[in-house]
């Protein structure tokens, strides 16, 4: 038996908090009866409806995808471009990405059908570290890198402190490779952070997400997370991103 709001969230209908609002508003039925109280528990054989539509009680699945460049972090695109779920043609479950990577950014992306899990990892309170490798135009100075470490002002506010390392510099081509570690997830954040210090990002890849990496994988390949990895991600998020 599980709490009703958790079952709704796991089905991908909404976050657990939003599910609680749906229950209080009388928009949820269990076995044909409207439920307006929080704390109700349901089992596998109970029929649950939200706004008159039965929810699908799928087993939760968790995947790690090596997203290539030129792919949209969505389940569909109105312009007909390739989306991340196109790599899961044989999967009979409805999955969606946790967060997003830009169209021109490659790297590690998680997908699931567990809405509760997805909302846990995306909540700004939980500081999951993400590691990016950026190829930038220009060779950033020590002072410029220090600005990134301390936080830079963007149009949507100051960024949190980051960990930055200059990996290499090609003075003939005027480019550099920089590793940056952040725990926020704003739209196009890494690119905008480098723009704020006067460096254009030419290529960007997310190498790590918490303890997960892309070792042994090629762009377009995916694998299922192990139960242990899923449990560790939950623990990591709930502990505020600290290992």
């Amino acid at each position: 038996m599980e709490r009703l709001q958790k079952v709704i969230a796991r089905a991908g209908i909404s976050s657990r908090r939003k599910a609680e609002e749906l229950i209080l508003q009388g928009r949820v039925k269990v076995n044909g009866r409207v439920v307006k109280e929080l704390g109700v528990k349901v089992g596998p054989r109970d029929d649950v409806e939200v706004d008159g539509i039965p929810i699908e009680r799928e087993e939760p699945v968790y995947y790690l995808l090596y997203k290539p460049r030129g792919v949209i972090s969505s389940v569909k695109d109105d312009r007909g471009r390739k989306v991340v779920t196109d790599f899961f043609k044989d999967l009979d479950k409805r999955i969606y990405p946790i967060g997003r990577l830009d169209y021109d950014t490659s790297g590690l992306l998680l997908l699931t059908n567990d809405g509760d899990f997805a909302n846990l990892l995306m909540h700004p309170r939980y500081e999951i570290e993400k590691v990016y490798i950026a190829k930038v135009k220009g060779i950033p100075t020590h002072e410029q890198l220090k600005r990134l470490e301390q936080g830079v002002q963007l149009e949507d506010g100051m960024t949190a402190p980051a960990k930055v390392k200059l990996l290499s510099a090609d003075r003939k081509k005027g480019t550099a490779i920089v590793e940056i570690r952040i725990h926020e997830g704003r739209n196009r954040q890494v690119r905008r952070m480098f723009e704020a210090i006067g460096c254009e990002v030419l290529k960007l890849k997310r190498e790590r997400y918490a303890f997960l990496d892309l070792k042994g994988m090629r762009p377009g390949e995916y694998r299922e997370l192990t139960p242990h990895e899923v449990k560790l991600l939950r623990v990591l998020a709930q502990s505020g991103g600290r290992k």
Side-chain angles (χ1 to χ4, degrees), residues 20-238:
E20 291 175 351
E21 294 176 13
L22 294 174
I23 294 168
L24 293 173
Q25 292 166 4
R27 296 165 62 183
V28 179
K29 289 183 180 179
V30 176
N31 299 327
R33 297 180 59 182
V34 174
V35 173
K36 288 188 175 181
E37 306 84 34
L38 300 180
V40 172
K41 292 188 176 183
V42 294
R45 295 187 180 183
D46 290 313
D47 296 319
V48 180
E49 298 177 22
V50 177
D51 292 333
I53 301 173
I55 68 170
E56 296 183 18
R57 306 277 291 278
E58 294 180 333
E59 281 296 311
V61 291
Y62 311 89
Y63 290 96
L64 184 161
L65 170 70
Y66 187 161
K67 175 192 162 316
R69 295 177 69 185
V71 177
I72 302 292
S73 294
S74 180
V75 298
K76 60 182 178 180
D77 179 59
D78 55 13
R79 290 164 58 184
R81 293 172 294 181
K82 196 176 186 71
V83 296
V84 290
T85 49
D86 287 339
F87 295 99
F88 298 81
K89 294 290 189 184
D90 298 329
L91 188 67
D92 60 356
K93 292 181 172 63
R94 180 178 59 92
I95 61 172
Y96 45 86
I98 299 176
R100 59 181 293 119
L101 287 178
D102 300 331
Y103 181 75
D104 290 323
T105 300
S106 65
L108 197 158
L109 185 68
L110 300 180
L111 297 95
T112 186
N113 60 352
D114 185 342
D116 199 35
F117 179 76
N119 281 287
L120 175 67
L121 294 190
M122 287 191 292
H123 198 291
R125 186 194 317 156
Y126 305 123
E127 303 176 351
I128 300 294
E129 185 178 76
K130 294 166 276 281
V131 181
Y132 294 83
I133 303 297
K135 180 179 181 180
V136 300
K137 188 175 182 179
I139 301 173
T141 64
H142 176 76
E143 289 72 23
Q144 287 173 308
L145 296 178
K146 200 71 178 174
R147 284 181 60 198
L148 292 178
E149 290 181 340
Q150 295 172 344
V152 292
Q153 184 67 43
L154 303 179
E155 57 268 30
D156 53 355
M158 197 77 171
T159 64
K163 297 176 183 177
V164 187
K165 184 189 298 184
L166 179 65
L167 299 180
S168 65
D170 189 328
R171 302 198 177 277
K172 188 175 288 187
K173 293 183 179 179
T175 59
I177 306 296
V178 183
E179 177 189 278
I180 180 168
R181 297 171 178 247
I182 64 173
H183 56 72
E184 296 175 294
R186 305 188 208 178
N187 186 39
R188 298 178 66 84
Q189 179 174 340
V190 173
R191 293 179 186 275
R192 291 190 293 134
M193 288 175 71
F194 277 103
E195 285 172 8
I197 65 165
C199 293
E200 177 190 355
V201 173
L202 303 174
K203 202 171 180 180
L204 185 62
K205 176 184 176 184
R206 183 196 278 171
E207 290 255 305
R208 293 176 64 89
Y209 185 100
F211 54 86
L212 299 169
D213 58 39
L214 296 166
K215 287 179 182 175
M217 299 181 70
R218 296 180 179 180
E221 292 184 339
Y222 67 87
R223 69 171 179 85
E224 195 164 1
L225 295 183
T226 67
H228 183 63
E229 288 172 331
V230 173
K231 183 178 180 180
L232 280 179
L233 285 171
R234 288 187 191 278
V235 170
L236 188 60
Q238 291 165 346

